[in-house]
Amino acid sequence: MVKYWKDIISKDMEEMDKENAVVLLPISAIEQHGSHLPVGTDSIILEALLAEFVKEKDFEVGSVLVAPQLYVGKSNEHMGFCGTLTLTAKTLYSVIEELTASIVKSGFKRIILTNSHGGNTDLLNLIARDLRITYGIAVYVFDWWFTNFWADILKEEKQSQSPYGVFHACELETSLVLAIAPETVNKDRIVDETPDEMFQDEDYISLFGPINIGWKTKDVTKSGVIGTPSLATAAKGEKFMSFAVDKLAAIVSEVLRFQY
Ligand SMILES: [Zn+2]
């Protein structure tokens, strides 16, 4: 059984085998996602994924806890688009550090920073190392934007030809929201936009490296979309979601086994 932190009685938590437990700390974002997806897209996707994970997956009681989700992340790249909320890197660093200090104080020694927004990733990797050094605990970063997390399912389902087809408010995210909360999507306003042309004459500069550029969203898209949401469907979204729930369960099992 997986439990939400907020649903546990203090006394019961005191008696848990915290040496062998892991706490997922969910971190998401509230930011523009083009003219067709809600600003809460990253939050909605992560919340739904974790709800499925909690409902479906079977772990030993008390071994897997889901801490309260941080809805607002670091989204300064999207400022200038209405509806974006952001914390500064410093503030988000402090919030995550202080929550971790509380989690450690309760006796837990393993944390997975569970992230759904690409703009948080660099900071989370940095924080993970600092938390490891400061508290001596095991810290993991779950991230699907700059890892191969989706690779297997995208190989089967992705239709976008552009390397930027799955990036932001894209085929992947739009499919997921169509499956989870279709009433929040305005399908009539879907537009595709990718920065392929911007980088077409460059050998090294891109949004994937090997030379990364420090970019803000308005540098690379007018619509706020980076990708091809016109190829999104709810059916694909269902497949993406069940793939993600199974994979998250496999990842958590491995973290529970792994010692360092
Ligand atoms: Zn997103």
Side-chain angles (χ1 to χ4, degrees):
M1 183 190 271
V2 181
K3 282 203 135 194
Y4 285 109
W5 183 285
K6 68 177 171 54
D7 294 338
I8 301 168
I9 297 168
S10 173
K11 178 81 185 144
D12 293 338
M13 195 182 283
E14 213 177 288
E15 288 161 8
M16 278 176 184
D17 175 14
K18 293 179 284 282
E19 290 289 328
N20 295 304
V22 64
V23 178
L24 277 64
L25 178 57
I27 301 144
S28 43
I30 303 285
E31 62 187 32
Q32 73 81 23
H33 274 74
S35 300
H36 67 286
L37 287 181
V39 292
T41 290
D42 296 349
S43 296
I44 291 166
I45 292 171
L46 188 59
E47 195 165 42
L49 166 65
L50 290 168
E52 280 293 299
F53 174 69
V54 167
K55 197 168 81 187
E56 265 185 32
K57 297 300 174 185
D58 203 25
F59 287 90
E60 207 177 302
V61 177
S63 65
V64 184
L65 303 186
V66 179
Q69 181 170 337
L70 301 181
Y71 290 94
V72 178
K74 181 184 165 295
S75 298
N76 55 345
E77 70 275 24
H78 293 286
M79 290 313 272
F81 287 98
C82 197
T84 300
L85 304 177
T86 191
L87 301 174
T88 61
K90 269 188 200 163
T91 303
L92 185 57
Y93 184 106
S94 299
V95 169
I96 292 171
E97 190 187 19
E98 289 169 25
L99 286 174
T100 301
S102 307
I103 291 167
V104 170
K105 193 89 178 157
S106 287
F108 294 94
K109 304 210 160 54
R110 280 188 275 196
I111 292 183
I112 305 176
L113 305 176
T114 309
N115 177 43
S116 63
H117 165 48
N120 291 335
T121 308
D122 291 337
L123 183 67
L124 295 182
N125 286 323
L126 182 151
I127 293 174
R129 180 164 288 152
D130 284 1
L131 294 175
R132 167 72 183 149
I133 292 164
T134 307
Y135 297 100
I137 56 167
V139 188
Y140 300 85
V141 178
F142 169 94
D143 180 69
W144 62 43
W145 289 115
F146 300 97
T147 66
N148 64 2
F149 180 82
W150 295 108
D152 290 342
I153 188 89
L154 287 177
K155 230 179 276 164
E156 288 168 26
E157 299 295 331
K158 184 183 158 206
Q159 292 174 284
S160 316
Q161 296 304 312
S162 163
Y164 299 99
V166 167
F167 205 101
H168 182 75
C170 54
E171 183 180 351
L172 173 73
E173 286 191 322
T174 305
S175 295
L176 282 163
V177 183
L178 282 172
I180 300 162
E183 71 285 358
T184 65
V185 183
N186 188 330
K187 283 178 92 173
D188 299 337
R189 294 210 204 114
I190 288 179
V191 292
D192 295 340
E193 187 174 350
T194 61
D196 295 86
E197 229 171 86
M198 180 175 175
F199 299 114
Q200 67 185 359
D201 299 327
E202 315 312 326
D203 292 324
Y204 304 112
I205 302 168
S206 77
L207 302 187
F208 305 114
I211 292 294
N212 293 317
I213 60 171
W215 55 276
K216 63 180 193 310
T217 308
K218 287 200 167 172
D219 292 331
V220 293
T221 168
K222 281 192 187 69
S223 62
V225 170
I226 306 172
T228 45
S230 65
L231 296 168
T233 65
K236 272 188 215 174
E238 304 275 355
K239 287 184 194 162
F240 290 142
M241 182 52 79
S242 73
F243 172 86
V245 172
D246 288 347
K247 192 146 176 174
L248 176 61
I251 289 169
V252 170
S253 302
E254 189 164 307
V255 166
L256 284 167
R257 276 200 312 274
F258 190 74
Q259 297 286 342
Y260 80 100

